[in-house]
Each structure stands twice: as C-alpha cells, then as structure tokens.
Amino acid sequence: MLFLYNLFLLFYRLGIIIAALWNPKARNWVTGRKNIFENLGEQLHNNKGAGKKIIWFHCASLGEFEQGRPVIEKIKHHQPDSKILLTFFSPSGYEVQKNYAVADWVYYLPIDSATNARRFLDIVNPSLVIFVKYEFWYYYLYEIKKRNIPSLLISAIFLKKHPFFHWYGSLHKKMLQNFQHVFVQNNASKNLLSGIGFINKVTVSGDTRFDRVIEIAENFEPIPTIEVFIGDCSKIIVAGSTWPEDEEEMNHYANTHTDVKFIIAPHEIDEEHLSEIEKLFKYSIRYSRLQVTNHTMIETEHKKQENHNVLIIDNIGMLSKLYKYASIAFVGGGFETEGVHNVLEAAVYGKPVVYGPVFANYAEAVELEDCGGGIVVNSALEFEEKINTLFSDETLYKQCCEASLKYVYANKGATEKIMNYIYKNRLLTKS
C-alpha cells in the first residue's frame, strides 16, 4: 500500500507540474512551494520566532480553514506568546488567507515524502499539531508520532465509503493511528471508527463551523453599498457561492421578477464567469462599478441604467455578511457535481435556505432540510414555485426562519470541547 501511495504522490506532482503550464491554480501550487524550506527556516528562526512555542495548523483548503479558525483564534487569545504556523495544501486556501493576521506564518505544505516531512519538522519543531477534517499525509503523520509531538484531528467526518473502512484502507488506518486524539462531527463518524477499533481516543465534538458562523453573525457590521442597493425592497434573495449551473436555474426568475432584488456572490470571480453572469441577468450590475454618495447609488463605469435588480459581487470575503440582508438565501453548489456549499453561513441569520439536489454528503445540509430550515429544489421551475410560496406564505416563512436559527445555535460548542481537551491534557504548556 505504501508503494501505491508513493506512486500516487509521484503522478500527482507530475500532473500538477504539467497542468501549471496553462492552469493558474496549478501554477500557484507549484510556484508557492519554491524555496519553501529556506523561507521557513529564515522566518521561523528570526527574532520573531526563535525560542517560541510553535503550534502548527494544517488545512486542505478554505473550507477546512473556516473550521480550524475558531480554534486558532481561541488558542492565540489564551496563549498570545505562542506562534501559529498555518499551512495549506490548496491554492484556493492559501491565496485567500496568506495574509491572515492571527497566524504568524502562512505557507503551502511541501508535498508529502519521508525527506520533506523530516526537513519540515526539523525546521518547525512544533509543540502541538492540529490537522483539520480531511487531511491525511502518511510521512508527516508518521514523523509527528515518531517525535512524540501531540497531534489532533478536529472537525473530522467519516463516511462508510472512505478507505478506512475497506480492505484496501490499511495505510489510512495507520495514518489515523498517529493522531493522539480525533474530534468528529457526529455519532455516525464515531460509530464507524469504533468498528475498526478506534474507541478511546475519539470524541464527538460537533462542527466548529457553527461556532465560526455564530461569531460572524454576532459581530455583524453593516455594508452601506448593499443597503443603498436594496433600498426599501422587502424581497431580497442572496445567492452565495454560485456556479454556472446554479445561475442558470435562477436567471429566469430574476429577469421576470424585477421587484425582487438579487445579490449574487459567485464561487469563481474570473472575468469570463462574471461576463457570463451579466449576460444571464438582464438588469445586473457589478459591485465594483457602484459607488455610494450621500446614500445615493451611482454607476461609475457604464451608462446608468435604472431598475437594476441584480448585484454581482466581484470580490471575495463579503458573503458571510451578505446573508444578513437576505429575505431568502440560496446556497450554490447543489446543481454541481461537488455538492452544496456552506449552508450555515446563511442559516445563522435565521433565513430560509434554498439549495439544489446534490447535498447528501453534507450533514449540515441534510439536517437543515430535516428540521425545516432548508428547502431543496430540483429545477428552475421548482425554484420559482418555492420562492413564490415563501414570499406569499407568511406562516411557512416564519417557521423556516425559526428552524434555521434554532438549528445553528443548538449545535454550537465544538470549539469549547476541543479547547477543554487541550487544557486538560496540558497540550499548550508542554515543552
């Protein structure tokens, strides 16, 4: 199995190098790892890092970062003298969070190998290692365990289809054994792990994303441009993390119901995608082309067009606040093969959350539908029917809002459970 793992790593790296010739994300993956050990050594052992306790957090991408973030910030708050090293595997995480202020250093993780793992840990020498959700790298985890460095896996979720629970999953089981403790999101994950002998070092903590979205909602700050765009409109749909498939399901409704304001925050904001959205939605305008003066909206680049009812968000970082302004939230990804994105960012504000049919692998989307806060649509026609019903049926609308809010707040507390384990086992005080 280790031979096949090494073969996978070899072909993965070769594939990325070839793809980097034309793919910007692959190019970032390659260039971001150049001279990484030299840079790490220089930065971690200068005056800022020399002699300090280093806590290493590793996330695959942006979604996992949002799960790890509450723990990072809680540790930094209680241990301000400790240093945080944050690593990402994916460019989509690193490029967005490379300037994350709470971390002392943000890097790509060098690709897994015995040599890289030893060299990386020789430089970093962390006091505590925390991996988030799905990341399993054999040589790193083996070397961490070999050096007796405490290591945790947090916000993990396990499904029966994962390799751990099949005859070919022996290497994955070895990787899992290297963690000192595993915090899982639900009882189903714990039961699966119990079935392969992981009993005493598994805790059901829940998903730290609940804590994160609650924190964002409770520290909400208004966005003046959005408020001016909305004006006195009472019907507002905020569509977040949308893909072309999602946008095609919504555009007919937006074009024929100009009394409804749409705020669309697409998952990808490259020029080609933004142009396609503008073609789909007749009365649309980009956020960057607006300026607000004396509470008046002015279009800065194109000839002014009255009655814009669709605002396209062409920046990253606003979405978690935008849902506050929604009457109804639509979360994208459910019409795309990878599945629905983060429904919690919308549900925390007590909104009905609408999404497409691909959501079965996302526990929070399943549970939100079960409790009445999530509404699944399978087509553009069904989207229009459900939206019209929510706008016209005040009782149903109120029930959906209450169900969403109650669901999120009932599931908070994962960060506290993880921190209690860390304190109880003195993982922040061990040298």
Side-chain angles (χ1 to χ4, degrees), residues 1 9 20 25 37 72 80 91 99 106 153 160 199 214-215 224-225 259 270 284-285 314 328 339 352 381 396 430:
M1 288 299 177
L9 292 173
K25 285 187 177 180
F37 292 111
I72 294 172
N99 296 315
V106 183
L153 177 65
K160 195 170 183 179
I199 300 173
I214 288 170
E215 180 185 15
T225 302
D259 60 319
D270 57 273
S284 63
I285 184 171
D314 51 358
I328 300 168
L381 179 61
L396 174 64
K430 291 178 180 179

Side-chain angles (χ1 to χ4, degrees), residues 59 87 167 390-391:
C59 309
T87 59
W167 63 267
L390 286 168
F391 279 141

Side-chain angles (χ1 to χ4, degrees), residues 119-130:
R119 191 175 180 187
F120 182 88
L121 290 167
D122 284 344
I123 295 170
V124 177
N125 190 27
S127 300
L128 173 63
V129 178
I130 299 178

Side-chain angles (χ1 to χ4, degrees), residues 299-306 308:
E299 186 174 354
T300 60
E301 292 189 17
H302 289 184
K303 180 180 178 181
K304 183 171 176 58
Q305 175 184 330
E306 300 295 340
H308 291 300

Side-chain angles (χ1 to χ4, degrees), residues 94-377:
Y94 174 82
E95 295 300 327
V96 175
Q97 295 298 339
K98 59 186 175 184
N99 296 315
Y100 174 51
V102 178
D104 296 277
W105 309 283
V106 183
Y107 276 92
Y108 281 101
L109 181 69
I111 195 164
D112 196 24
S113 73
T115 301
N116 284 353
R118 288 194 297 267
R119 191 175 180 187
F120 182 88
L121 290 167
D122 284 344
I123 295 170
V124 177
N125 190 27
S127 300
L128 173 63
V129 178
I130 299 178
F131 278 32
V132 183
K133 195 174 182 178
Y134 280 143
E135 283 296 271
F136 300 96
W137 297 113
Y138 175 80
Y139 291 107
Y140 280 105
L141 292 173
Y142 171 81
E143 196 67 26
I144 289 166
K145 179 69 175 294
K146 180 181 175 182
R147 298 179 186 219
N148 294 315
I149 301 170
S151 60
L152 307 177
L153 177 65
I154 66 171
S155 283
I157 191 161
F158 294 91
L159 303 173
K160 195 170 183 179
K161 66 179 182 180
H162 289 164
F164 307 93
F165 314 109
H166 299 276
W167 63 267
Y168 50 84
S170 59
L171 188 66
H172 284 76
K173 292 175 189 176
K174 287 180 181 178
M175 288 192 271
L176 198 56
Q177 288 168 346
N178 289 324
F179 287 106
Q180 175 175 316
H181 204 82
V182 176
F183 293 89
V184 295
Q185 294 185 27
N186 52 38
N187 283 312
S189 293
K190 183 178 182 179
N191 292 337
L192 282 170
L193 292 178
S194 296
I196 58 172
F198 290 87
I199 300 173
N200 296 325
K201 63 176 187 176
V202 179
T203 297
V204 178
S205 62
D207 188 345
T208 50
R209 283 183 303 168
F210 287 93
D211 301 326
R212 174 62 183 157
V213 297
I214 288 170
E215 180 185 15
I216 292 171
E218 292 181 347
N219 291 281
F220 173 81
E221 294 181 1
I223 308 173
T225 302
I226 299 297
E227 295 184 352
V228 172
F229 171 77
I230 290 170
D232 58 2
C233 180
S234 61
K235 296 179 179 180
I236 302 134
I237 296 174
V238 174
S241 300
T242 60
W243 292 85
E245 294 87 346
D246 303 301
E247 292 140 14
E248 289 171 3
E249 301 296 334
M250 294 187 295
N251 77 301
H252 180 266
Y253 187 89
N255 291 337
T256 56
H257 292 75
T258 55
D259 60 319
V260 178
K261 292 284 181 79
F262 274 74
I263 301 172
I264 301 175
H267 185 71
E268 301 285 353
I269 58 169
D270 57 273
E271 180 59 33
E272 182 179 359
H273 188 195
L274 293 173
S275 296
E276 288 300 318
I277 298 173
E278 288 176 313
K279 292 176 185 176
L280 280 172
F281 296 88
K282 293 180 184 178
Y283 310 109
S284 63
I285 184 171
R286 298 190 193 187
Y287 181 86
S288 63
R289 291 177 179 160
L290 292 179
Q291 74 178 44
V292 172
T293 303
N294 296 326
H295 302 286
T296 301
M297 186 174 69
I298 302 171
E299 186 174 354
T300 60
E301 292 189 17
H302 289 184
K303 180 180 178 181
K304 183 171 176 58
Q305 175 184 330
E306 300 295 340
N307 300 320
H308 291 300
N309 78 315
V310 177
L311 182 62
I312 303 168
I313 305 299
D314 51 358
N315 62 64
I316 293 174
M318 293 177 64
L319 179 57
S320 58
K321 294 181 180 179
L322 291 175
Y323 285 124
K324 170 75 172 180
Y325 293 104
S327 306
I328 300 168
F330 177 85
V331 178
F335 287 98
E336 205 262 342
T337 55
E338 293 300 315
V340 69
H341 288 277
N342 189 354
V343 299
L344 302 180
E345 290 181 322
V348 69
Y349 293 108
K351 312 291 182 177
V353 185
V354 179
Y355 40 97
V358 185
F359 68 95
N361 288 336
Y362 299 89
E364 67 279 6
V366 173
E367 293 166 357
L368 189 62
E369 185 200 21
D370 288 344
C371 76
I375 298 170
V376 178
V377 295

Side-chain angles (χ1 to χ4, degrees), residues 50-67:
K52 298 290 187 178
K53 188 187 297 291
I54 295 174
I55 301 163
W56 170 30
F57 279 83
H58 178 65
C59 309
S61 191
L62 193 58
E64 288 78 12
F65 167 76
E66 289 299 328
Q67 291 178 298

